[in-house]
Amino acid sequence: KDILEDKTVLKAKFEKLLKFERLESLTPHAWVVVRIDGRAFHKLSKQHNFEKPNDLRAIQLMNIAAATVMHWMPDIVISYGESDEYSFVFDRYGSRYPRSTSALVAQCVSLFTGAYVKNWRMCFGEDCRLKTLPVFDGRSIEYPTNTSLRDYLSWRQADCHINNLYNTAFWGLINLRGYSNVEADKKLSGTFSRDKRALLLEMGIEYDEEPTIHRKGSVIYRKRVKARTQNKLKAASAIVREARKDGRSA
Amino acid sequence: KDILEDKTVLKAKFEKLLKFERLESLTPHAWVVVRIDGRAFHKLSKQHNFEKPNDLRAIQLMNIAAATVMHWMPDIVISYGESDEYSFVFDRYGSRYPRSTSALVAQCVSLFTGAYVKNWRMCFGEDCRLKTLPVFDGRSIEYPTNTSLRDYLSWRQADCHINNLYNTAFWGLINLRGYSNVEADKKLSGTFSRDKRALLLEMGIEYDEEPTIHRKGSVIYRKRVKARTQNKLKAASAIVREARKDGRSA
Amino acid sequence: KDILEDKTVLKAKFEKLLKFERLESLTPHAWVVVRIDGRAFHKLSKQHNFEKPNDLRAIQLMNIAAATVMHWMPDIVISYGESDEYSFVFDRYGSRYPRSTSALVAQCVSLFTGAYVKNWRMCFGEDCRLKTLPVFDGRSIEYPTNTSLRDYLSWRQADCHINNLYNTAFWGLINLRGYSNVEADKKLSGTFSRDKRALLLEMGIEYDEEPTIHRKGSVIYRKRVKARTQNKLKAASAIVREARKDGRSA
Amino acid sequence: KDILEDKTVLKAKFEKLLKFERLESLTPHAWVVVRIDGRAFHKLSKQHNFEKPNDLRAIQLMNIAAATVMHWMPDIVISYGESDEYSFVFDRYGSRYPRSTSALVAQCVSLFTGAYVKNWRMCFGEDCRLKTLPVFDGRSIEYPTNTSLRDYLSWRQADCHINNLYNTAFWGLINLRGYSNVEADKKLSGTFSRDKRALLLEMGIEYDEEPTIHRKGSVIYRKRVKARTQNKLKAASAIVREARKDGRSA
């Protein structure tokens, strides 16, 4: 009963409980990457009839969510997104983000998910209500050298390329040639890049002319802007906000 | 260019990058608690005019978000919430949740934030639009003994009690006696529990008759339900869903 | 140059360097096991002509080293050794050992290795000089439940049994039947326990009558002793020390 | 009883126990420093009458132990020692050392302690027997940048300088002026470097002419040597070994 009487007594009594909390701290001066990726997004994309192989509304929503994370986390210098994943790179000498691994991952995931749910309607419209909760996984990785960070980003972009080439061919076979999923998968199994490109050409698709955002993924970085330009931008976005309000109240 | 041609080559080349990913695994057979807490919720509560000392809509929204986490995470046996924080206790012998610390924290925070944003309108109504993003921090803690887990839950509940007693007195002085924030804080500084209770009585408030949910916090646990009851519940919630749809389309 | 002038300035300037030191702390109230095992002891045992399958001098030296660790670390409640490994179990509620993983492992390994080198001559005699350095690896493991700790100890003892049964049969074939290493290994491959026991019987060895220390490994635990007994023991060991000194000076 | 019959059954049954072993892996491509430091060396130095402020035999023993560690660990590029501590720097791109934190620390500490005990007699002579066990603590630290590694080494060397200046003055007062420990400490309290240097001059000691090994600590690095030189060195050390043997048998 005594511990209910005074915050000081409470602290004294339960201070030992704090020792159970393991602190996983990030190494100073290392590049820190937080990578977020959707869980079971295959199911979510089916439930909401995402266009295949790429749904521009879904990509834009990912980009808006990522830009929101960058807005709240000033130490992120660059972000890279593809499919249902996004990587955030924190300034190796930055000091404005939590040094505990789980706090950093938690805050990024919380911001990303919140922005994703909040902006769903804007990207998918009134008719496509969000039927299920998107769930994102997260992890943090440390890169001690510039080379290893560059390798990481190349890796994710190569992953994007290979998946997108496959998906473009796969859905081409289904949408243009009437293949079933199983048939399309069988047709592509064991093929190399040049085979898939040739197959796409047969269907009238020149792969290198597909939209860059699908072939390369999305990159968000900060741009230094003069104060005067910044004020103009603020004014413009205020007008947009007003227009939106009018639209809603109409 | 070669790494862009084949997934196998890509894997081979970048396998070494996986070694940068540190795996923080949870000890098997320990109680795992994931605690989520709001960041800068003081500001969020001001922006949306939360009632003081307690806003039942906000508490209900927290409880809905927590129940959503429990729905997706079948190994959570009990959850405890107070103020802007929630603790989730995972079955020490459970095996249906990720064993990596950051994945577990990320998924809980993602579900909680997503549910919080998605259900905001339902709790706060059309007129109180969500103006900013709620951000939640998260961490995981391991308790090897039943005693230490019980101590943890006592600690959080004692924290709830002490904060709520203070807040009830603080906002009583402001709302009923016209004190300023600074004056109320000064009046309460250095007082013990019995002093705050006496002060509340003078203002006509018998503290022990305040709603339990404010004094004790919220507990969510699972209840074993017979299959027949479960079917009735499902039918009932289907009716509720239909009614909602009608309401929207009307 | 200034940092060389004053310890305070030095601390201020290099305090940031302390943030690079990651602290891996042990969970309170969990059973902690530190397991030490020899590296490349196969080579060390050959270099010093250890008797096969078991060299009692080597086992005694391991036991002396383990007892030394227990003498310096009062929170170790029990230790178990077999072959070139030793496990130390720390009291789950103990508070007299470092809570940092690497400090705990380092101190155990340091004490064990130091005692092993220091007492080599006593166990192996003047004629068998220590020709190379013994190197021990170390790790710490946490067990949250009594059951998991018991399972761990059973596991190590089962490991001892299986290895020793194999080794006894293997060296029996070599020493008593003149097999080569390759032949003995081939003879035993695919055999079950009962086959090895039968084979040993053929060579005149009843396995269950082999010395317990070889079949079961070594266990060291503390025994509560009355103060009077303790004084007698101290007196006795002082006499032993004197006798040794005389031996040396003679 | 069945688990005692077959290694495969044993593995199957206890595989789950391996999940309790937490792996703390080192980040690839980061500089890794393992720092070892003596525990309670104050007491050990008293027991063996170390010369004050510096005992060259003790320094040489530390250096021999460190050279032994470097001999076994080919990825260590440089080591720095002062007082009762030694820092080992591992090649950031090296791959010949364990990537688990505790294994790396354990092996370094094991080698260092073993070499310290084994070579004690050589450094301190037959008359100064090792009366107690030296115990070394250990930890590993990661430095992602060259700058942070350089700062670390500067820090340790500045620490060496400041301690040695203090100790030289402290023991000067005691040995040359007959101060007690308490008086010497009081005399030096609050003094700056220039005060200590002035005080030393009064006692006839020009600090900058003290032996470099005391003022700067010890550095061990590898030197590339031609094969022919290496053979000559081997021959020489073989002769030394023979001579020693003769000495012993005489």
Side-chain angles (χ1 to χ4, degrees):
Chain A
K1 195 126 216 190
D2 288 326
I3 66 160
L4 298 180
E5 295 306 304
D6 185 1
K7 196 126 195 175
T8 327
V9 182
L10 180 71
K11 262 190 193 160
K13 178 127 197 217
F14 288 105
E15 202 146 72
K16 66 177 202 292
L17 281 168
L18 287 178
K19 292 191 184 151
F20 287 84
E21 308 199 1
R22 195 185 292 270
L23 285 174
E24 319 275 10
S25 61
L26 296 158
T27 310
H29 301 189
W31 290 108
V32 174
V33 171
V34 172
R35 183 167 79 238
I36 284 172
D37 64 291
R39 283 185 54 82
F41 257 54
H42 184 68
K43 206 179 144 197
L44 182 131
S45 72
K46 263 196 167 168
Q47 275 183 299
H48 299 88
N49 301 311
F50 280 19
E51 281 167 36
K52 292 296 184 178
N54 291 289
D55 189 312
L56 205 55
R57 299 166 303 173
I59 294 173
Q60 277 168 337
L61 182 51
M62 292 290 286
N63 288 346
I64 287 169
T68 307
V69 177
M70 287 183 78
H71 177 75
W72 284 62
M73 294 279 196
D75 277 335
I76 298 174
V77 290
I78 195 168
S79 305
Y80 175 72
E82 54 126 350
S83 181
D84 59 358
E85 74 166 53
Y86 236 101
S87 298
F88 300 96
V89 181
F90 287 78
D91 182 2
R92 72 190 304 169
Y93 300 114
S95 57
R96 289 166 297 173
Y97 59 97
R99 305 306 304 175
S100 136
T101 314
S102 64
L104 182 66
V105 169
Q107 288 178 30
C108 289
V109 166
S110 185
L111 282 162
F112 197 92
T113 312
Y116 194 95
V117 174
K118 198 168 185 303
N119 293 290
W120 174 274
R121 193 184 296 242
M122 194 172 83
C123 292
F124 281 86
E126 293 291 331
D127 296 336
C128 180
R129 212 165 52 84
L130 181 57
K131 291 185 195 75
T132 187
L133 274 185
V135 188
F136 293 92
D137 213 334
R139 79 193 66 199
S140 71
I141 320 162
E142 297 184 12
Y143 293 103
T145 60
N146 297 347
T147 305
S148 51
L149 175 64
R150 199 200 52 202
D151 284 352
Y152 172 80
L153 291 169
S154 309
W155 175 35
R156 299 327 299 153
Q157 198 163 45
D159 186 75
C160 171
H161 166 82
I162 284 168
N163 287 333
N164 194 60
L165 178 57
Y166 179 90
N167 288 338
T168 309
F170 182 83
W171 288 99
L173 289 169
I174 288 169
N175 294 337
L176 305 175
R177 292 280 163 94
Y179 279 57
S180 73
N181 282 20
V182 175
E183 288 166 353
D185 192 56
K186 203 177 160 188
K187 173 86 176 173
L188 293 172
S189 122
T191 59
F192 289 98
S193 281
R194 59 171 176 280
D195 307 321
K196 295 193 192 79
R197 286 167 185 277
L199 193 66
L200 282 166
L201 262 187
E202 285 174 29
M203 295 188 274
I205 298 169
E206 169 62 82
Y207 184 70
D208 289 338
E209 284 168 10
E210 288 289 291
T212 321
I213 199 171
H214 299 161
R215 288 186 295 114
K216 305 277 192 182
S218 303
V219 174
I220 311 180
Y221 59 94
R222 296 181 192 282
K223 202 170 168 179
R224 211 177 285 263
V225 163
K226 280 188 193 155
R228 209 195 298 173
T229 319
Q230 212 167 25
N231 289 337
K232 280 188 196 164
L233 286 170
K234 273 185 191 165
S237 78
I239 291 165
V240 170
R241 264 202 305 278
E242 282 305 308
R244 269 192 206 151
K245 266 192 216 166
D246 291 349
R248 262 194 296 273
S249 58
Chain B
K1 195 130 212 188
D2 288 327
I3 66 160
L4 297 182
E5 295 308 305
D6 184 2
K7 195 125 194 174
T8 328
V9 183
L10 179 72
K11 260 189 195 163
K13 178 132 197 210
F14 288 105
E15 202 146 73
K16 67 178 201 290
L17 281 168
L18 287 178
K19 291 190 186 151
F20 287 85
E21 308 199 1
R22 195 185 292 270
L23 285 174
E24 320 274 10
S25 61
L26 296 159
T27 310
H29 301 189
W31 290 109
V32 175
V33 171
V34 172
R35 184 169 77 237
I36 284 173
D37 63 290
R39 284 186 53 81
F41 257 54
H42 184 68
K43 207 178 144 197
L44 183 131
S45 72
K46 262 196 169 169
Q47 274 182 298
H48 300 87
N49 301 312
F50 281 19
E51 280 166 36
K52 292 295 184 179
N54 291 289
D55 188 312
L56 205 56
R57 301 166 303 174
I59 293 174
Q60 278 168 338
L61 182 51
M62 291 290 287
N63 289 346
I64 288 169
T68 308
V69 177
M70 285 183 79
H71 178 75
W72 285 63
M73 294 280 195
D75 277 336
I76 298 175
V77 289
I78 196 169
S79 306
Y80 176 72
E82 54 126 349
S83 181
D84 58 358
E85 75 167 53
Y86 236 101
S87 299
F88 300 96
V89 181
F90 286 78
D91 182 2
R92 70 191 303 169
Y93 300 113
S95 57
R96 290 165 295 174
Y97 59 98
R99 304 306 306 175
S100 135
T101 314
S102 64
L104 181 66
V105 169
Q107 288 178 31
C108 289
V109 166
S110 185
L111 282 163
F112 197 92
T113 313
Y116 195 95
V117 173
K118 199 168 184 302
N119 294 291
W120 173 275
R121 193 184 295 242
M122 194 173 81
C123 293
F124 282 86
E126 292 292 330
D127 296 336
C128 180
R129 213 167 50 83
L130 181 57
K131 294 186 192 73
T132 187
L133 274 183
V135 189
F136 293 93
D137 214 333
R139 80 192 65 200
S140 70
I141 320 164
E142 297 183 13
Y143 293 103
T145 59
N146 298 346
T147 306
S148 51
L149 175 65
R150 198 200 53 200
D151 284 352
Y152 172 79
L153 291 170
S154 309
W155 175 35
R156 298 326 300 153
Q157 197 164 44
D159 186 75
C160 170
H161 166 81
I162 284 168
N163 287 333
N164 192 62
L165 178 57
Y166 179 90
N167 289 336
T168 309
F170 181 82
W171 288 99
L173 289 170
I174 288 170
N175 294 336
L176 305 175
R177 292 279 164 93
Y179 279 57
S180 73
N181 285 19
V182 174
E183 288 164 352
D185 192 57
K186 202 176 160 190
K187 174 87 177 174
L188 293 171
S189 120
T191 59
F192 289 99
S193 281
R194 61 172 175 278
D195 307 321
K196 296 192 192 78
R197 286 166 185 275
L199 193 65
L200 282 165
L201 262 188
E202 285 173 29
M203 296 187 274
I205 299 169
E206 168 64 78
Y207 184 70
D208 289 339
E209 285 167 11
E210 288 288 291
T212 321
I213 200 171
H214 299 162
R215 287 184 297 116
K216 305 277 193 182
S218 303
V219 173
I220 311 181
Y221 59 94
R222 296 180 193 281
K223 203 170 168 179
R224 212 178 283 263
V225 163
K226 279 190 194 153
R228 207 194 300 172
T229 319
Q230 213 167 23
N231 289 338
K232 279 188 196 165
L233 285 170
K234 273 185 192 167
S237 77
I239 292 167
V240 170
R241 264 202 305 280
E242 282 306 307
R244 269 195 205 147
K245 266 192 216 166
D246 292 347
R248 261 195 298 274
S249 57
Chain C
K1 194 125 216 190
D2 288 328
I3 65 160
L4 297 181
E5 293 307 304
D6 184 2
K7 196 127 195 173
T8 328
V9 183
L10 179 71
K11 262 191 192 161
K13 177 127 198 220
F14 288 104
E15 202 145 73
K16 65 177 202 293
L17 282 168
L18 287 179
K19 292 190 184 151
F20 287 84
E21 307 198 2
R22 195 184 293 271
L23 285 174
E24 320 274 11
S25 60
L26 297 158
T27 310
H29 300 189
W31 290 108
V32 175
V33 171
V34 172
R35 184 168 76 239
I36 283 173
D37 62 291
R39 283 183 55 79
F41 257 54
H42 185 68
K43 207 178 143 197
L44 183 131
S45 72
K46 263 196 169 169
Q47 275 181 298
H48 299 88
N49 301 312
F50 280 19
E51 280 166 37
K52 293 293 183 180
N54 293 290
D55 188 312
L56 206 55
R57 300 167 302 173
I59 293 173
Q60 278 169 336
L61 182 50
M62 290 291 285
N63 289 346
I64 288 169
T68 308
V69 176
M70 285 183 78
H71 177 75
W72 284 63
M73 296 278 196
D75 277 335
I76 299 174
V77 289
I78 196 169
S79 305
Y80 176 72
E82 54 128 348
S83 181
D84 58 359
E85 75 167 52
Y86 236 102
S87 299
F88 300 96
V89 181
F90 287 78
D91 182 1
R92 70 190 303 169
Y93 301 113
S95 58
R96 289 165 296 174
Y97 59 97
R99 304 306 304 175
S100 136
T101 313
S102 64
L104 181 66
V105 170
Q107 288 177 30
C108 290
V109 166
S110 185
L111 282 163
F112 197 92
T113 314
Y116 195 95
V117 174
K118 197 167 186 303
N119 293 292
W120 174 273
R121 191 185 297 242
M122 193 172 83
C123 294
F124 283 86
E126 292 292 332
D127 295 336
C128 180
R129 213 167 47 86
L130 181 58
K131 294 187 191 75
T132 185
L133 274 184
V135 188
F136 293 93
D137 213 335
R139 78 193 64 200
S140 71
I141 320 164
E142 297 183 13
Y143 294 103
T145 60
N146 297 347
T147 306
S148 51
L149 175 66
R150 198 201 53 201
D151 284 352
Y152 172 79
L153 291 170
S154 309
W155 174 35
R156 299 326 299 154
Q157 196 164 43
D159 187 75
C160 170
H161 166 81
I162 284 168
N163 288 333
N164 193 61
L165 178 56
Y166 179 91
N167 289 337
T168 309
F170 182 83
W171 288 99
L173 290 169
I174 289 170
N175 295 336
L176 305 175
R177 292 280 163 93
Y179 279 57
S180 73
N181 283 20
V182 174
E183 288 165 350
D185 192 57
K186 203 177 160 189
K187 173 87 177 172
L188 292 172
S189 122
T191 59
F192 290 98
S193 281
R194 59 170 174 279
D195 307 322
K196 296 193 192 77
R197 285 166 186 277
L199 193 65
L200 282 166
L201 263 187
E202 286 175 28
M203 295 188 274
I205 298 170
E206 169 64 79
Y207 184 69
D208 290 338
E209 285 168 10
E210 287 289 291
T212 320
I213 199 171
H214 298 162
R215 289 185 294 114
K216 305 276 192 184
S218 303
V219 174
I220 310 180
Y221 59 94
R222 295 180 193 283
K223 202 170 169 179
R224 212 178 285 264
V225 163
K226 280 190 194 154
R228 210 195 297 172
T229 318
Q230 213 167 22
N231 289 337
K232 279 188 196 164
L233 286 169
K234 273 185 191 164
S237 76
I239 291 166
V240 171
R241 264 202 305 280
E242 281 306 308
R244 272 197 204 144
K245 266 192 217 166
D246 292 348
R248 262 195 296 276
S249 57
Chain D
K1 194 126 214 190
D2 288 325
I3 67 161
L4 298 181
E5 294 307 303
D6 184 1
K7 196 124 194 177
T8 328
V9 183
L10 180 72
K11 261 190 193 162
K13 178 129 196 214
F14 289 105
E15 202 145 73
K16 64 177 203 291
L17 281 168
L18 288 178
K19 292 190 184 151
F20 289 85
E21 307 199 1
R22 197 184 291 271
L23 285 173
E24 319 274 10
S25 61
L26 296 159
T27 310
H29 300 189
W31 290 108
V32 174
V33 171
V34 172
R35 184 169 75 238
I36 283 173
D37 63 289
R39 282 184 55 80
F41 258 53
H42 184 69
K43 207 179 142 196
L44 184 130
S45 72
K46 262 196 168 168
Q47 276 183 297
H48 299 89
N49 301 312
F50 282 18
E51 281 167 35
K52 291 295 185 179
N54 293 289
D55 187 311
L56 206 54
R57 300 167 302 172
I59 293 173
Q60 277 169 336
L61 182 51
M62 290 290 287
N63 289 346
I64 287 169
T68 308
V69 177
M70 286 183 77
H71 177 74
W72 284 63
M73 295 278 196
D75 278 335
I76 298 174
V77 291
I78 196 169
S79 305
Y80 176 72
E82 54 127 348
S83 180
D84 58 359
E85 75 167 53
Y86 235 100
S87 299
F88 300 96
V89 181
F90 287 78
D91 183 2
R92 69 190 303 168
Y93 300 113
S95 57
R96 291 167 293 174
Y97 59 98
R99 304 305 304 175
S100 135
T101 314
S102 64
L104 181 66
V105 169
Q107 288 177 30
C108 289
V109 166
S110 185
L111 282 162
F112 197 92
T113 313
Y116 195 95
V117 174
K118 198 169 186 302
N119 293 290
W120 173 275
R121 193 184 297 242
M122 193 173 83
C123 293
F124 281 86
E126 293 291 331
D127 296 336
C128 180
R129 212 167 49 85
L130 181 56
K131 293 185 193 73
T132 186
L133 275 183
V135 188
F136 293 92
D137 214 334
R139 77 192 67 198
S140 70
I141 321 164
E142 297 184 13
Y143 294 102
T145 60
N146 298 346
T147 306
S148 50
L149 175 65
R150 198 200 53 202
D151 284 353
Y152 172 79
L153 291 169
S154 309
W155 174 35
R156 299 324 301 152
Q157 197 164 45
D159 187 75
C160 170
H161 166 81
I162 284 168
N163 287 333
N164 193 61
L165 178 56
Y166 179 90
N167 288 337
T168 309
F170 182 83
W171 289 100
L173 289 169
I174 289 170
N175 295 336
L176 305 175
R177 291 280 163 93
Y179 279 58
S180 73
N181 283 21
V182 175
E183 286 165 352
D185 192 56
K186 203 176 159 190
K187 172 89 177 172
L188 292 172
S189 121
T191 59
F192 290 99
S193 281
R194 61 172 173 279
D195 306 321
K196 297 193 192 77
R197 286 167 185 277
L199 193 65
L200 283 165
L201 262 188
E202 284 175 28
M203 296 187 274
I205 299 170
E206 169 64 79
Y207 184 70
D208 290 338
E209 283 167 11
E210 288 289 291
T212 320
I213 199 171
H214 299 160
R215 288 185 295 114
K216 305 276 193 184
S218 301
V219 174
I220 310 181
Y221 59 95
R222 296 181 192 283
K223 202 170 169 178
R224 211 179 283 263
V225 163
K226 280 191 193 153
R228 207 194 300 173
T229 318
Q230 212 165 24
N231 289 337
K232 279 187 196 164
L233 286 169
K234 274 185 192 166
S237 77
I239 292 166
V240 170
R241 264 202 305 279
E242 283 305 310
R244 271 195 205 147
K245 267 191 217 166
D246 292 348
R248 262 195 297 272
S249 58

